[in-house]
Structures are given as structure tokens and as C-alpha cells.
Amino acid sequence: MTTTLEKTFSVGKFLVSPFTHSTESGDYAASLSIRSGRGSGTLDRVFRFVPRFSCRDEALQYALNQCPGLLPAQLAA
């Protein structure tokens, strides 16, 4: 399994990092990390999505499309 970290970006006080993973069957899975805080007060939530994709770019786009629904409502608007 190969994991690829894509470019990390900021949304308000959150740091968003999309990931793609190649699976044993040759498909790609999507994940998304949403981080906030600093030092010992850091909170990092990682979301792993169920759908599988035939190419890495489709998996990446899916993870990015999920971001607005996972951020607090005042930032997603």
C-alpha cells in the first residue's frame, strides 16, 4: 500500500491535508486530515472514505469535495 500526501492548505484555523492510498487490489482510497491547535493542544482528525477509485486523481478530488461538510459550519459557507 502506498500513501501519497497531497499539498496541505489552511482553512481558517484548520490545516487540511488530503491523502490517497493505493490498495492491494490496485484501486485508490481517499483520506482527509483536519488539524487544529499547536503543541500539546493539537487535535488531528483523520477521515477515511469508503469509496474506491480507479485513479489517484479521482480519489484526491473526492477527499477535497468532502472537506466543506467536515469543517465547522461557519467555515464551510
Side-chain angles (χ1 to χ4, degrees), residues 13 15-16 22 26 30 32 40 45-46 60 67 73 77:
K13 68 177 186 175
L15 200 59
V16 178
S22 61
L32 188 66
S40 63
R45 298 185 71 188
V46 177
L60 176 61
C67 188

Side-chain angles (χ1 to χ4, degrees), residues 26-52:
D27 292 335
Y28 292 88
S31 298
L32 188 66
S33 165
I34 300 177
R35 223 169 325 167
S36 65
R38 290 182 184 240
S40 63
T42 300
L43 176 63
D44 189 3
R45 298 185 71 188
V46 177
F47 299 90
R48 293 184 176 99
F49 304 109
V50 173
R52 298 295 181 250

